[in-house]
Amino acid sequence: MRTWTDVLRFAFQPVVNLTTGGIAALEILARPETGDILGEARRNPELDGRLAVLAFRAAARKETLLPLHINVFAATLADLGGIGPLPEAVREAGRMPWEVTLDIVPPYTHVPQRALLEAVAVLRGQGFRISADGIGDGDVPLRLLTDLSPDLIKLDASLLARPAAVRAMRTLCEELGALVAVEGVETELHYSAALSAGAQLAQGELFAPPARIPVAEVYVPPPSPTAGPAPRSGPYVREFVRPAALLPVTASALQVRALLTGSPDVSGVLLVDQTGAPVRSVHRSRFLLSMSGRYGHALYADRPAFKLGDAPRTVGVDATAWEVLDVVAVGGPDRTSDDVAVVDRFGRCVGVVRLADLVRALAETRVEEAAGLNPLTRLPGSDAITGEVDRWLADGRVFALSWLDIDHFKQVNDGAGFAAGDDLIRSVGQALQEAAVGHARVGHIGGDDFLVLADETGLDQVAALLDAPWTAGGRPVTLSLATVVCGPGSVADHRQAAACLAPLKKAAKALDGASWVLGRAGLPGHEIRRGSEAYPAQAGYAAVEP
């Protein structure tokens, strides 16, 4: 008699890294020929647990080196307290638990949350990674989502029509140390929307449909030059992680050779200890050169591959691309092409990054930044500052947004000439940059207008420029400064911050000589800190026009 396992097949769908364009992992999907086994599994935790183990074994038989994603219902984990046979199946296949991500799928309604969190803690203790699936179209409570603290959050494609929700989820993920993936990407418009909203991973028919045999390549559209969010302090390593080829530190040189010759896309092998920490790095070209030399096979085949490896270069998953370059710079030039191992907070290898990916991304970042620079001062324009304002708001930071300009600049140009005016603008821009080093961002928004984004504690350094003896063509010149301090919840975005700043600009320009007016978003009035009327009657504040 045929059983349900006889009519069960599995398909593989790639998870695509939107930064590198490569396959980051494979999701294993049950595809029964007849019957509704998935419906039964939803009602039967034991059956669902068996499906998860069968899915892993199906992938193991394909001998793929890619990390794997396996679906399991939230109710299954809460009921079983984990997936008992899965760790043994992983060991038998020679894989490591952290190469397997468990996608916890809805429904969550009526699932005991404490039991679910306890089961997730057990799985994490065994080394498995956790993904929260179906977010946006499921029923997972936000509080439970944060308590799960997943390594990955998978969003339903329906959220792409609501990019603000995706950006908000990206902010939450950055707080949790998680990645954002979008499922159901079927068109290039979906792809562009996912990139623009800040997703790092994606799945869908656009890249490759589910298939019985894992695909080796996927279709990735060329991204728009303006797609993707602006980096904060350089691209983060987590956006460039590629799957790592891992073998135990006890592996022989013959085992490494077999892996490399059977996988031409693998640039190197990492030898890891029992905890998953990288111990040695075996570079493809250097290793194969040693093995192919005279007597190489006889000398090395049965010896530990450890002897032919180098000390691994490692970075944390929260590192930036610039930090990786610092790591690569240490050591001989012959190792610049080595993969850099990426480790999680437990020291376990979760993948590798390649220098070429980072250099390409950093070059693109510099090109994008250069395109937005003011040609006179080489300072970024308003878009860079306003984008940073929105990111500071999302982080809940208190900040001060300031506008600075040169008083009566048209008269400066008319009296001293435009060349002297340009020299003055350049000098003010350079002085602002020097005053803002380490604590602020400066933008040149055109003409003689500048924007400064800073912590409130750094304002005095910027305001000190008002007291400098500025001249143009021998004529004395003064500056005006207006500042609005924005606390959490006081403004929704950079537009509201700019609206609060506008009347303060008007108040500063109404004062004689060098002037500085400071207000606080959501509060009436302003403080005159510089200017001929710096003696208001009530606690240092004067009325501001609405």
Side-chain angles (χ1 to χ4, degrees):
M1 177 182 293
R2 300 181 74 192
T3 65
W4 61 270
T5 57
D6 296 324
V7 295
L8 183 63
R9 300 292 183 268
F10 291 94
F12 302 87
Q13 185 170 44
V15 179
V16 176
N17 185 315
L18 295 180
T19 302
T20 66
I23 301 175
L26 290 174
E27 181 174 357
I28 311 159
L29 305 168
R31 290 290 186 265
E33 293 181 359
T34 62
D36 185 14
I37 292 175
L38 295 180
E40 294 180 31
R42 177 176 170 177
R43 296 184 294 270
N44 185 340
E46 293 285 350
L47 175 58
D48 191 35
R50 290 176 64 190
L51 277 177
V53 175
L54 288 172
F56 172 79
R57 287 177 174 158
R61 286 194 295 271
K62 301 298 182 182
E63 298 183 351
T64 175
L65 294 174
L66 290 166
L68 306 172
H69 284 242
I70 298 172
N71 292 309
V72 60
F73 287 111
T76 296
L77 297 182
D79 188 84
L80 301 181
I83 307 175
L86 186 58
E88 182 60 30
V90 172
R91 283 192 295 270
E92 289 175 356
R95 300 297 294 267
M96 300 178 184
W98 46 91
E99 297 178 83
V100 179
T101 298
L102 296 173
D103 289 353
I104 305 177
V105 299
Y108 288 84
T109 303
H110 306 308
V111 174
Q113 294 188 12
R114 180 181 294 276
L116 176 59
L117 293 173
E118 290 174 352
V120 167
V122 169
L123 291 165
R124 276 213 173 90
Q126 293 169 339
F128 294 102
R129 298 170 66 80
I130 301 298
S131 166
D133 205 345
I135 304 303
D137 195 42
D139 58 349
V140 57
L142 185 58
R143 186 181 66 182
L144 176 60
L145 182 61
T146 57
D147 289 343
L148 282 172
S149 190
D151 302 285
L152 173 67
I153 289 179
K154 288 188 174 183
L155 306 181
D156 186 82
S158 62
L159 285 187
L160 291 177
R162 302 166 178 82
V166 182
R167 288 192 291 270
M169 193 58 66
R170 169 72 186 261
T171 300
L172 173 62
C173 285
E174 288 177 353
E175 290 292 327
L176 298 176
L179 296 176
V180 177
V182 176
E183 298 182 291
V185 175
E186 298 181 353
T187 67
E188 294 196 11
L189 286 177
H190 285 167
Y191 169 76
S192 296
L195 272 181
S196 299
Q200 295 133 327
L201 303 170
Q203 294 175 260
E205 297 278 342
L206 176 67
F207 309 110
R212 295 290 176 85
I213 298 175
V215 298
E217 296 182 357
V218 292
Y219 168 72
V220 178
S224 162
T226 58
R232 297 191 181 188
S233 54
Y236 285 99
V237 162
R238 65 169 71 95
E239 300 174 19
F240 302 89
V241 174
R242 292 176 177 265
L246 305 177
L247 284 175
V249 70
T250 55
S252 67
L254 199 59
Q255 288 175 289
V256 172
R257 183 185 181 189
L259 190 157
L260 291 175
T261 55
S263 307
D265 293 334
V266 173
S267 56
V269 177
L270 288 171
L271 305 179
V272 297
D273 62 18
Q274 292 182 342
T275 68
V279 177
R280 301 294 278 182
S281 174
V282 180
H283 185 267
R284 181 186 188 90
S285 298
R286 294 198 297 273
F287 174 84
L288 292 179
L289 186 63
S290 298
M291 290 290 289
S292 62
R294 192 176 185 183
Y295 308 121
H297 188 276
L299 285 172
Y300 300 118
D302 295 324
R303 297 184 64 186
F306 183 95
K307 301 288 186 182
L308 294 175
D310 300 290
R313 291 171 167 175
T314 61
V315 295
V317 73
D318 293 323
T320 67
W322 295 108
E323 291 173 293
V324 178
L325 293 185
D326 290 339
V327 171
V328 172
V330 177
D334 59 323
R335 294 199 61 192
T336 54
S337 62
D338 287 18
D339 293 342
V340 177
V342 182
V343 297
D344 62 15
R345 63 182 184 275
F346 302 109
R348 304 177 305 200
C349 180
V350 297
V352 296
V353 289
R354 295 180 179 175
L355 182 61
D357 289 337
L358 301 181
V359 171
R360 187 181 307 113
L362 292 172
E364 291 171 354
T365 299
R366 286 294 179 257
V367 169
E368 290 174 6
E369 288 178 353
L373 296 181
N374 186 287
L376 184 61
T377 59
R378 308 305 296 166
L379 287 171
S382 60
D383 286 349
I385 303 302
T386 55
E388 194 72 11
V389 167
D390 288 338
R391 285 189 286 276
W392 284 30
L393 282 169
D395 290 341
R397 296 178 61 173
V398 176
F399 63 87
L401 182 63
S402 299
W403 165 86
L404 180 142
D405 82 336
I406 300 167
D407 293 328
H408 311 295
F409 185 69
K410 185 178 185 303
Q411 296 178 22
V412 172
N413 270 347
D414 291 345
F418 70 87
D422 285 351
D423 287 342
L424 177 59
I425 289 173
R426 275 191 288 264
S427 297
V428 171
Q430 182 178 353
L432 273 174
Q433 276 186 297
E434 293 171 354
V437 167
H439 66 83
R441 290 288 305 274
V442 177
H444 183 185
I445 60 176
D448 62 321
D449 293 318
F450 296 87
L451 278 179
V452 182
L453 175 64
D455 293 322
E456 188 175 2
T457 55
L459 286 175
D460 287 339
Q461 291 173 258
V462 175
L465 271 63
L466 302 176
D467 301 324
W470 297 101
T471 60
R475 300 165 179 261
V477 175
T478 59
L479 308 179
S480 292
L481 179 67
T483 300
V484 60
V485 178
C486 301
S490 60
V491 293
D493 55 22
H494 69 269
R495 294 177 181 84
Q496 288 191 11
C500 293
L501 187 57
L504 301 178
K505 291 169 54 178
K506 185 176 180 179
K509 297 302 289 184
L511 301 175
D512 291 332
S515 61
W516 180 19
V517 168
L518 182 144
R520 299 185 181 275
L523 297 178
H526 62 259
E527 178 185 353
I528 300 174
R529 293 195 170 185
R530 296 278 201 289
S532 61
E533 295 181 15
Y535 45 84
Q538 295 183 356
Y541 282 83
V544 175
E545 296 183 15

